[in-house]
Amino acid sequence: MDISIGELSRRAGVKVPTIRYYEQVGLMPLPSRSEAQQRRYGEPEVARLNFIRHARELGFEMDAIRELLALSSDPERPCGDVDRIARRHMAEVEKRIRKLTALRGELRRMIGECGQGRVGECRVIQTLADPSHDHGRLADH
Amino acid sequence: MDISIGELSRRAGVKVPTIRYYEQVGLMPLPSRSEAQQRRYGEPEVARLNFIRHARELGFEMDAIRELLALSSDPERPCGDVDRIARRHMAEVEKRIRKLTALRGELRRMIGECGQGRVGECRVIQTLADPSHDHGRLADH
DNA sequence: TCTACGGCCTCTAGCGACTAGAGGGGCAAG
DNA sequence: CTTGCCCCTCTAGTCGCTAGAGGCCGTAGA
């Protein structure tokens, strides 16, 4: 117990300002304070912050992490909700992969057609200037 | 000629506030104005905005688009720079695809292990709580 | 004793690429 | 005369942080 924010940072692999930010947005609880008003944490906070970091690394959004944290606090609850959140996120990831793969294809084609001549005949520029393409809404990466 | 911002928006497939934003950040030029101070555009602006939209759909960042626009204005220049920008961008896209594919793999494994029991035994929660994983820096999508 | 260092504190602003909203003007049709 | 539509400017919000200013506190070395 009685861990400073710096040590929590080292133990969970999350930067100090990020921890304070998580506190601000309610992902981390308001910690107790030392006499000099410094934050003090314990093992539960280390675990919680590790959970958050790992979920962020897997690309879960903060709202989803909030849900997952709430769900994980009740071990008796059936884990259908957890599963649903994870599947929803995976569907998002797969969508982004499809989108990026399509982009890569078009970029590859475009670059392959560039004959290294002058900009006036450059296929890259011409492709970009051609208004007939439409890839639906602007990309979300 | 003498196209309103609304018609430019329709012709290029870019929302009106976005056009004004592009003007603000210097991607689109300051247009001439009607007597009532409304923006008036011509064909060159339609082409330029289409170029921008298409490049954005391909995921180019605004700085890269600025460069591409500058390069495309000189047809005599050899297009090595254009090619370099496009290749750099494609390398970025490929990096993101690799990252997301790795994430998908881990999500799939995690979800596959969930026995649909209670949260207490849920593999999804356990995997997230396990601090031993480290995927390097937090994901950039 | 002075001073440098490191860690902690709060608060504010910035990133990219928009999007949303407030609050208003002007013009044509019904 | 009112309704609706298009246009204007300006400000603030999105997401998940990150960077910086400015300051406190305690210790260790010269």
Side-chain angles (χ1 to χ4, degrees):
Chain A
M1 329 278 139
D2 253 26
I3 298 171
S4 75
I5 196 170
E7 196 170 335
L8 175 62
S9 166
R10 255 165 273 127
R11 289 234 229 156
V14 175
K15 288 179 195 158
V16 168
T18 304
I19 297 172
R20 286 197 278 249
Y21 167 71
Y22 286 162
E23 178 184 321
Q24 206 183 307
V25 298
L27 266 189
M28 288 294 287
L30 292 171
S32 56
R33 299 279 183 147
S34 73
E35 286 187 14
Q37 297 304 332
Q38 300 193 352
R39 290 167 178 81
R40 292 298 160 211
Y41 299 94
E43 289 305 327
E45 282 78 26
V46 178
R48 186 182 181 96
L49 190 51
N50 263 307
F51 185 104
I52 296 170
R53 173 183 54 81
H54 197 182
R56 286 292 302 130
E57 284 169 355
L58 287 173
F60 284 93
E61 296 179 2
M62 301 204 0
D63 276 354
I65 296 175
R66 245 182 282 271
E67 286 189 76
L68 288 171
L69 281 166
L71 293 173
S72 73
S73 72
D74 176 5
E76 293 310 310
R77 170 194 276 272
C79 66
D81 286 349
V82 170
D83 200 62
R84 193 177 41 74
I85 293 171
R87 283 176 196 279
R88 192 180 59 200
H89 177 54
M90 197 168 86
E92 261 306 306
V93 169
E94 284 177 334
K95 201 167 108 191
R96 269 187 283 185
I97 289 175
R98 278 195 303 276
K99 181 105 193 178
L100 286 171
T101 305
L103 290 191
R104 181 181 58 186
E106 186 150 6
L107 286 169
R108 195 133 55 188
R109 195 168 50 69
M110 197 171 83
I111 292 169
E113 284 175 355
C114 173
Q116 301 288 352
R118 315 223 160 265
V119 164
E121 307 100 49
C122 181
R123 286 294 299 151
V124 173
I125 295 291
Q126 283 172 23
T127 302
L128 288 173
D130 181 356
S132 67
H133 295 76
D134 191 356
H135 308 272
R137 259 331 59 224
L138 291 175
D140 56 330
H141 315 282
Chain B
M1 327 278 140
D2 254 28
I3 298 170
S4 74
I5 197 171
E7 197 170 335
L8 175 61
S9 166
R10 256 165 272 128
R11 289 234 229 155
V14 175
K15 287 180 196 158
V16 168
T18 305
I19 297 172
R20 285 196 279 249
Y21 167 71
Y22 286 163
E23 178 184 321
Q24 206 182 308
V25 298
L27 267 190
M28 288 294 287
L30 292 171
S32 57
R33 299 279 182 148
S34 74
E35 287 186 13
Q37 297 302 334
Q38 300 192 353
R39 291 167 178 81
R40 293 297 159 210
Y41 299 94
E43 289 305 327
E45 283 78 27
V46 177
R48 187 183 180 92
L49 190 52
N50 264 307
F51 186 104
I52 295 170
R53 173 183 55 81
H54 198 182
R56 285 293 302 128
E57 284 169 355
L58 287 173
F60 283 93
E61 295 179 3
M62 301 206 358
D63 277 353
I65 296 174
R66 244 181 283 270
E67 285 189 75
L68 289 171
L69 282 167
L71 293 173
S72 72
S73 71
D74 177 4
E76 294 310 311
R77 169 194 278 273
C79 67
D81 286 350
V82 171
D83 200 63
R84 193 177 40 73
I85 293 171
R87 284 176 196 278
R88 192 180 59 200
H89 177 55
M90 196 169 87
E92 261 306 307
V93 169
E94 284 176 335
K95 200 167 109 191
R96 269 186 281 183
I97 289 174
R98 278 196 301 278
K99 182 105 192 178
L100 286 172
T101 304
L103 289 191
R104 181 182 57 185
E106 186 150 5
L107 286 169
R108 195 135 54 190
R109 195 168 48 70
M110 196 171 83
I111 292 169
E113 284 175 354
C114 173
Q116 302 288 350
R118 315 224 160 266
V119 165
E121 307 100 48
C122 180
R123 286 295 298 151
V124 172
I125 294 291
Q126 284 171 22
T127 301
L128 288 172
D130 182 355
S132 68
H133 295 76
D134 191 355
H135 308 270
R137 260 329 60 224
L138 292 176
D140 56 331
H141 319 283

